[in-house]
Amino acid sequence: MGDLSKPLLEQNNKGRKFEPSLGRRFHTNINRRFHVNSSRKPCWMLRPLSLKRCVLAVTILCLISIVYFSHYIFNSPLTSLIHRNTRPEPNIKCSVMNGPRLPQNHDHKTEARLRSDPKVLVFVETMYSKLGREIAELLVYTRIKYKVEVAGKSLPVLTNLDKGRYGVIVFENFNKYLQMDNWNRELLDKYCREYMVGMIGFINPSEETLVGAQLKGFPLFIHTNLRLRDAALNAASQILRLTRAGETAWGNLPGDDWTIFQANHSTYEPLEWAHRDDDYHHSENAIKTPLPTIVQDHGLYDNIQRVIFGSGLRFWLHRLLFLDSLSYLSHGQLSLSLDRLFLVDIDDIFVGEIGTRLKPDDVKAMLATQDRIQKMVMGFKFNLGFSGKYFHHGNSEEDKGDDLILENIDKFMWFSHMWNHQQPHLYDNLTQLIEDMTLNKNFAREKGIPVDSGYSVSPHHSGVYPVHDILYTAWKKVWNIRVTSTEEYPHLRPARLRRGFIHRNIMVLPRQTCGLFTHTMFIERYPGGREKLDESIQGGELFQTIVYNPINIFMTHMSNYGNDRLALYTFESVIKFLQCWTNIRLKTAPPLQLAETYFKHFPEEADPVWGNPCDDLRHQKIWSRNKSCDSLPRFLVIGPQKTGTTALYTFLSIHPAIASNLPSPDTFEEIQFFNANNYYRGLDWYMNFFPVDANSTNRYLFEKSATYFDGDLVPKRAHALLPHAKLITILISPAKRAYSWYQHTRAHGDVIANNYSFHQVITANDTAPKPLRDLRNRCLNPGKYSQHLERWLSYFSPQQLHIIDGEVLKSDPMEVMNEMQKFLKITPIFNYTTHLRYDPKKGFYCQVINGDHTKCLGRSKGRHYPPMEERSLKFLQRYYLSHNTALVKLLKRIGMRNVPQWLKDDLTDTPT
């Protein structure tokens, strides 16, 4: 019922303040009078006149109580019954919203000849420190390149020839810079001066409170551990670019460990001010002195420009100022564009339970809000996604709302959902999926809804990622879809890592949420209430999402536009807040234009990276029912070519607990998925080589593709899909491998191999014809073993890698297979002794069949080649010297005790 002990400001008729106990005294007096009149008989025994008086008294008492409590106790349930009007209205007040903005080309670029890369070097206290993680996450979100180093160690390499590696240096704890040893400090300062590199530092909170303490070596003094409020910006600062000055962020600033600055040198200029919280305990006429919380060092003292923050990134405004500082100190190399493309999708048009759908007034409010937003966002229109099956499935008022939407078709953009709003991954039949989409298209044509947007969204993002290929096929056939969007790639969370990709010529854009979902219809039921939603809008997650992403597609639902109309409130408010505090230019464009712009900005994202749906519960829920986590390989034989991979494949196939993929019509036993165009066929195509059966869970599935070993993209792709898989590679002398590859191509009729000697091939220079250079590279590059293994080990742990000596595989395959079974942890150990036998004609071991016969590899295996020329051997030993030396170090580092004999021989016999 409320807190009756709070003083009320109302006065009674005699001019006295209304006392908290007045209500109780009033009740007491009424009860006394009632008791006097009815002290002898209960109410129901009184005469009619007295009974009427009794009822009247009770009625008056109830009415007075209702008026009293509804007037003074605002948050009571009774109040909401009397007057229910909780629908929030945008209340962003900003005096500078319509003021002048930055010029179009304000990008901090200078005439200076820059000699540093647009990359940030971040010094952190530990790899797990909170502020360091926040800095790294912000750089990831904005796609700014960076490197993290733990402060206190020796400096990393700062230059590459005559070019600096970093454009800005950031210290999570500025004291780590101040306390550097003289050698490293002078080295870093010299680098900053010579390459015109700026520095950002944060004053970290400490238990000890400092008052007027001088920063070591600088004419700058600090006062720490303060509680502050009401932050404002220096409008004259040249740092401001993304951030807009002119307003005050009213209220308490987060934390009680702020640092303020005081300088006695002209090199320092405040960037942000705030006030002490205790200033507000004095009278309103007291002078409130603004205190610098961020200062810019113009470099007049020691020729190094800096920006020093008196607090971390908890305060939302500091995130913007940090980005502006990076832009300014890097002379514009690390500037974010001020242009933002902005689209609001409304899913589930015509879908929803009775009572949650749009009524005519809701549609009118949506149109009115759209008109207001259009004045702030060029070209803005809501983008409506419809499921025609549910048209006119509401009550009479909601059906009128459906009609009013269709009366204003031209006021909106449109895209297709599914006819019956079913998740596409539940369709196993392409024909059925096409029929569903065709029904929605026929509905659109009947109602006059545009059908040429080229954009569609799948209910619950099903089938987009993880990819359900028949969805992409049906989209192309029925709607000619060229663009879609999803929250799921590569994962739902964290949102900052969402990216785009292209599959089957359909561009998939990252989709964002605004904090509203199907069930968030009333502000009082919003998790955390209106305060939490406003926090997201006013500098929080929604605001920052638009700031950091150059292209934003937001997901909302029809239910968010009825009821309390939370979506209208949310978007109008956040756009106003953006206009108040930033110089961002918002514009809406059709999805196709958004997609083309996105992949123009981020062409490297066009290639997808297929993750493992089995590692994500959310992905498993929207994955095709006929797929199984048990049908993915548990280990890979990665090559390289001409080292004995086919023989190993044969030996593995003998094992009763091991099964390989089905053969490919093009590449036989090799799928060659991760390193070739097959990768773009998608995960469904790959998994079809591993059919599910009753024994899938008990088998060790594997695939062998010898070209995986030296593929640049293969380790990244393989790890994304099979992060827990084990890897098996076979190594022989790289010189011998190169010669074997050359002879292999000759035997297969390669024109270049048959027209050039081996020595001519391996010694060809970069001016040679391209086919000759290509053959040279295929001979030489796979033998750079350490280089390729390092790439694999950057994704997989050494414990996942098993290296086989190819010479031992040839001479003693039983021992090799036993060791490999131990590595794979297969029990019981399969005895290869009775299943392999040496064939003197072939010169290697073959499979024993039918008790006494052997089955060997084909004619192309085990060929006898003429010996390699001595000059070619010596050339190759010199060529691979550094690579073989690096291989020895790598093998020791990963714990391989026995260095292969061929490697010792190659290093011993290398000519000087």
Side-chain angles (χ1 to χ4, degrees), residues 805-860:
D805 183 339
E807 298 299 335
V808 179
L809 176 65
K810 184 176 180 180
S811 64
D812 189 2
M814 287 75 73
E815 175 62 24
V816 168
M817 298 308 293
N818 286 340
E819 289 298 319
M820 196 192 64
Q821 290 181 82
K822 293 176 184 177
F823 167 70
L824 295 173
K825 297 182 179 178
I826 297 178
T827 56
I829 296 292
F830 181 69
N831 185 5
Y832 274 91
T833 304
T834 59
H835 293 82
L836 296 176
R837 183 185 302 159
Y838 182 76
D839 188 314
K841 292 182 180 179
K842 279 287 188 178
F844 51 76
Y845 281 79
C846 299
Q847 180 183 357
V848 176
I849 59 173
N850 298 329
D852 196 39
H853 295 81
T854 58
K855 178 183 178 182
C856 295
L857 299 176
R859 294 181 180 179
S860 64

Side-chain angles (χ1 to χ4, degrees), residues 93 180 273 897:
K93 307 296 182 184
M180 267 185 174
W273 294 282
R897 297 178 181 178

Side-chain angles (χ1 to χ4, degrees), residues 334-502:
L334 297 172
S335 292
L336 300 182
S337 170
L338 296 179
D339 294 313
R340 299 289 182 276
L341 288 172
F342 174 83
L343 181 67
V344 178
D345 287 347
I346 307 180
D347 295 349
D348 304 347
I349 292 296
F350 308 131
V351 180
E353 300 289 338
I354 293 176
T356 67
R357 300 160 65 96
L358 299 186
K359 299 175 182 177
D361 283 348
D362 298 321
V363 179
K364 292 174 184 176
M366 186 163 63
L367 289 166
T369 302
Q370 180 172 278
D371 288 342
R372 292 194 297 273
I373 293 178
Q374 282 176 350
K375 296 175 182 177
M376 299 181 284
V377 181
M378 185 187 308
F380 180 80
K381 286 184 178 181
F382 288 114
N383 194 25
L384 275 53
F386 62 96
S387 294
K389 178 179 178 179
Y390 300 98
F391 179 70
H392 273 190
H393 272 51
N395 58 36
S396 59
E397 277 297 293
E398 291 169 339
D399 287 351
K400 291 178 183 178
D402 288 356
D403 293 334
L404 188 56
I405 291 175
L406 294 183
E407 288 175 20
N408 290 276
I409 283 174
D410 60 331
K411 301 284 181 63
F412 304 108
M413 291 188 284
W414 292 84
F415 66 91
S416 172
H417 234 17
M418 295 285 289
W419 164 255
N420 63 359
H421 202 256
Q422 181 162 308
Q423 297 170 316
H425 80 276
L426 299 176
Y427 289 84
D428 297 325
N429 185 286
L430 176 61
T431 302
Q432 290 179 337
L433 191 54
I434 288 175
E435 288 176 356
D436 183 285
M437 290 185 182
T438 302
L439 287 171
N440 218 32
K441 190 169 186 178
N442 292 340
F443 169 82
R445 285 174 170 162
E446 176 189 338
K447 300 299 183 182
I449 297 173
V451 297
D452 58 353
S453 71
Y455 177 67
S456 184
V457 173
S458 170
H460 307 111
H461 305 265
S462 154
V464 181
Y465 187 82
V467 166
H468 191 46
D469 269 314
I470 65 171
L471 170 63
Y472 285 73
T473 302
W475 264 345
K476 279 287 185 184
K477 187 174 182 64
V478 178
W479 289 98
N480 191 28
I481 294 303
R482 298 174 61 189
V483 188
T484 185
S485 60
T486 183
E487 301 170 329
E488 301 295 339
Y489 179 78
H491 299 283
L492 177 67
R493 294 290 182 188
R496 66 179 179 276
L497 297 182
R498 291 178 192 164
R499 297 292 184 260
F501 68 96
I502 299 176

Side-chain angles (χ1 to χ4, degrees), residues 30-42:
I30 289 289
N31 289 336
R32 284 174 180 168
R33 290 169 188 163
F34 180 75
H35 183 71
V36 168
N37 294 332
S38 58
S39 59
R40 296 180 181 178
K41 298 180 180 179

Side-chain angles (χ1 to χ4, degrees), residues 510-558:
R511 211 179 193 204
Q512 307 295 336
T513 58
C514 63
L516 303 178
F517 303 93
T518 311
H519 59 278
T520 43
M521 296 181 287
F522 300 103
I523 190 64
E524 64 185 18
R525 299 180 192 169
Y526 187 87
R530 178 169 177 173
E531 182 180 351
K532 194 68 177 177
L533 180 57
D534 284 346
E535 180 184 309
S536 178
I537 291 168
Q538 299 178 30
E541 184 175 359
L542 175 58
F543 170 82
Q544 291 177 40
T545 296
I546 301 174
V547 169
Y548 302 151
N549 289 303
I551 294 170
N552 294 271
I553 299 179
F554 284 101
M555 174 188 73
T556 56
H557 303 85
M558 185 179 73

